[in-house]
DNA sequence: TTGCTCCTCACGTCACGTGAGGTGGC
DNA sequence: TTGCTCCTCACGTCACGTGAGGTGGC
């Protein structure tokens, strides 16, 4: 009985607006264009909403944050959500959020390299500026619509929830290094350059932690590395752009600092 | 001489559009409303851009990704950037990106708790839906304009670049636990609930790593914890909403699993 | 009775998109 | 000569914002 109450409880536009942070006008607009018709009207003609409407609203807000038009959103909406469909929807949302975080990390790495370049050379070359614009554009809107986080993380989200964020962190650490290496290489730095050597040190430290650290981290690393062939296409070309430079820098780093490489690492 | 070349080299609208991913029409629009006037025209009346224009364009794209209107952006732009001002600008951008990442992590945590709730109870209560909408709204647009990352991370970015991402990671781990605890508490779960106990385990594992792990991590933890009074206001109330619940859950966890608490931890 | 919330037109706005018709460079 | 890029009007569009004038509930 109380669950029925909960499902049928009525909310006014004002209440929905206040608790979601949207405006009354926006909700009226969504009703007018039919993307979120109200469940009904009171005798006096006022709109009211029930819990299911809020579930739809959640979807609308989410897709809107990806830059999708209201017309396109209309077709994606789940009207009468079963528990299973709701679950799948939330997992999809998680996927997209994780890939957004990943692309923000890329932007952070780009800015860090740009800062280093600015400090050491006194100005930003054309490539760095254009690269910044591209990543910022990419991290803001558009094209997220049909994006799936390409199974690197997705598969493991399904398996073991606790492990997912470890894998995510590992993936992001590796990606950051790759992005910075690719940038430095594009900027024409040599592998012996201080910035490249600092990067080599971070890369080496990461390898040591990843292979010798505690079990969780090792597993996460192996999961990410093993699935490298299944990385998104953009990451494949990132890897190819960064790898030679990173290898060369690491070679110099190991020689200069007289580091003994364990047999287990080639 | 070659640096002069680099600074004076001319680019057509088409070239700029292609390399930045913007459209020609957008660049024409920015010229028309005066937010990015071209450096000049060719004899035949065609626009051309030089490197400094690209620096301005980078700023425009960045602010636009925060949801700021072109009119407001106009007043923020740095016209003739010195190396020092450019550096400060990039640091500001970094700050905002980090806080965006932080708010995306909040959204991820909210969805994870919602998934757990959905799986165990079969539907999403009003509070969870509304909470999702609020965080998604917050993580997408608006109000980032005057945001500073409140010195938790900012101060350390200035000091030692290599350390910044450790501190960021630590901060995000702690915040995730707090968000999830606050949600569970709001959903009316008891501290003995399986989900709460899973959270308590993660909290305890984190404490062990943070206080007994390697030096870098311990330092990062202490930096974040020491500055807790300087956390952003939103985080303060988050902490207050989560802390009692988390303590209670941890108490049960320690008792049930017969864990010996070292003297160094109260 | 007095705020307060809510209602429906209907026009305004912001950031471009989209042809329409024409010109210059390789 | 032929694409191709670029030019300037000028109207279209998308997602609401913003009054204007009026009604119902505590």
């Amino acid at each position: 009985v109380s669950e029925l109450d909960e499902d049928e409880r009525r909310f006014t536009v004002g209440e929905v607006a206040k608790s979601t942070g949207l405006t009354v006008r926006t909700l009226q607009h969504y009703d007018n264009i039919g993307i979120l018709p109200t469940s009904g009207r009171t005798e006096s003609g006022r709109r009211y909403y029930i819990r299911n409407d809020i579930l739809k609203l959640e979807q609308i807000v989410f897709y809107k944050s990806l830059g999708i038009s209201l017309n396109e959103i209309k077709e994606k909406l789940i009207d009468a959500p079963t528990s299973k469909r709701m679950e799948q929807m939330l997992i999809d949302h998680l996927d997209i959020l994780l890939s957004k975080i990943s692309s923000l990390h890329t932007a952070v790495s780009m800015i860090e390299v740009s800062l280093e370049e600015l400090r050491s050379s006194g100005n930003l070359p054309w490539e760095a500026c254009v690269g910044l614009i591209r990543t910022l554009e990419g991290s803001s809107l558009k094209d997220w619509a049909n994006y799936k986080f390409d199974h690197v993380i997705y598969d493991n989200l399904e398996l073991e929830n606790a492990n997912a964020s470890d894998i995510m962190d590992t993936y992001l650490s590796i990606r950051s290094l790759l992005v910075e290496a690719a940038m430095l290489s594009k900027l024409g730095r040599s592998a012996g350059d201080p910035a490249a050597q600092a990067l080599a040190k971070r890369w080496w430290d990461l390898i040591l932690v990843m292979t010798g650290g505690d079990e969780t981290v090792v597993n996460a690393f192996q999961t990410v590395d093993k699935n490298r062939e299944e990385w998104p296409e953009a990451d494949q070309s990132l890897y190819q752009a960064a790898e030679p430079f990173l290898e060369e820098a690491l070679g110099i780093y190991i020689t200069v600092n007289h580091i003994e490489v364990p047999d287990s690492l080639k």
Side-chain angles (χ1 to χ4, degrees), chain A:
Chain A
V1 180
S2 87
E3 191 166 321
L4 245 167
D5 273 350
E6 182 63 24
D7 275 4
E8 297 278 323
R9 193 175 147 203
R10 296 179 173 186
F11 302 91
T12 66
V13 250
E15 286 172 321
V16 174
K18 204 160 286 173
S19 54
T20 59
L22 301 170
T23 70
V24 170
R25 174 65 185 127
T26 297
L27 293 170
Q28 289 172 342
H29 183 58
Y30 290 171
D31 185 10
N32 288 338
I33 65 174
I35 191 174
L36 184 68
T38 59
S39 281
R41 299 283 183 124
T42 66
E43 287 179 2
S44 54
R46 299 191 167 195
R47 279 167 253 256
Y48 66 80
Y49 298 86
I50 62 174
R51 202 184 61 95
N52 262 358
D53 300 325
I54 309 302
L55 289 177
K56 277 183 77 173
L57 191 52
E58 192 276 333
Q59 300 172 61
I60 295 172
V61 169
F62 181 77
Y63 289 123
K64 228 183 25 157
S65 79
L66 307 179
I68 302 176
S69 77
L70 295 184
N71 267 328
E72 289 172 286
I73 292 174
K74 214 172 182 174
E75 286 145 32
K76 287 175 181 285
L77 289 182
I78 303 172
D79 259 46
T82 64
S83 175
K84 259 289 158 226
R85 294 201 66 182
M86 279 292 299
E87 188 179 334
Q88 187 54 52
M89 189 201 74
L90 286 179
I91 290 175
D92 290 348
H93 289 192
L94 246 187
D95 252 27
I96 293 173
L97 286 179
L98 291 179
S99 55
K100 270 193 142 186
I101 289 176
S102 164
S103 95
L104 278 176
H105 273 263
T106 306
V108 166
S109 293
M110 295 283 295
I111 290 195
E112 278 174 349
V113 173
S114 298
L115 265 173
E116 204 278 329
E117 175 75 18
L118 187 62
R119 280 167 181 151
S120 69
S121 84
N123 74 341
L124 277 183
W126 163 264
E127 292 84 9
C129 295
V130 162
L132 276 176
I133 295 177
R134 286 215 92 99
T135 48
L136 292 174
E137 267 283 298
S139 67
S140 65
L141 287 180
K142 300 273 177 175
D143 278 340
W144 294 105
N146 302 314
Y147 197 88
K148 284 259 169 179
F149 201 42
D150 270 288
H151 302 285
V152 178
I153 286 163
Y154 190 78
D155 284 345
N156 291 79
L157 270 181
E158 306 260 4
L159 298 178
E160 200 87 18
N161 221 324
N163 215 14
S165 71
D166 287 334
I167 294 179
M168 182 70 189
D169 290 346
T170 306
Y171 177 72
L172 290 177
S173 302
I174 296 174
R175 254 189 66 100
S176 288
L177 285 170
L178 291 177
V179 169
E180 293 181 36
M183 268 297 278
L184 286 177
S185 162
K186 213 176 197 175
L187 288 173
R189 299 293 188 93
S190 81
D193 185 282
Q197 284 303 296
L199 201 61
K201 177 182 170 13
R202 284 171 53 206
W203 184 226
W204 182 244
D205 288 349
L206 195 63
I207 289 176
L208 288 184
V209 175
M210 294 299 172
T211 54
D214 76 284
E215 218 180 314
T216 336
V217 183
V218 175
N219 285 340
F221 176 66
Q222 285 173 349
T223 306
V224 172
D225 199 50
K226 197 182 62 201
N227 297 341
R228 198 168 59 212
E229 283 148 35
E230 290 165 27
W231 283 10
E233 206 182 324
D235 285 3
Q236 297 285 357
S237 51
L238 172 65
Y239 188 83
Q240 275 156 31
E243 216 270 344
F245 184 81
L246 211 47
E247 281 305 313
E248 198 189 337
L250 188 60
I252 295 175
Y253 177 73
I254 287 173
T255 312
V256 169
N257 295 284
H258 309 293
I259 291 172
E260 289 175 45
V261 180
D263 290 338
S264 54
L265 306 170
K266 45 156 193 178

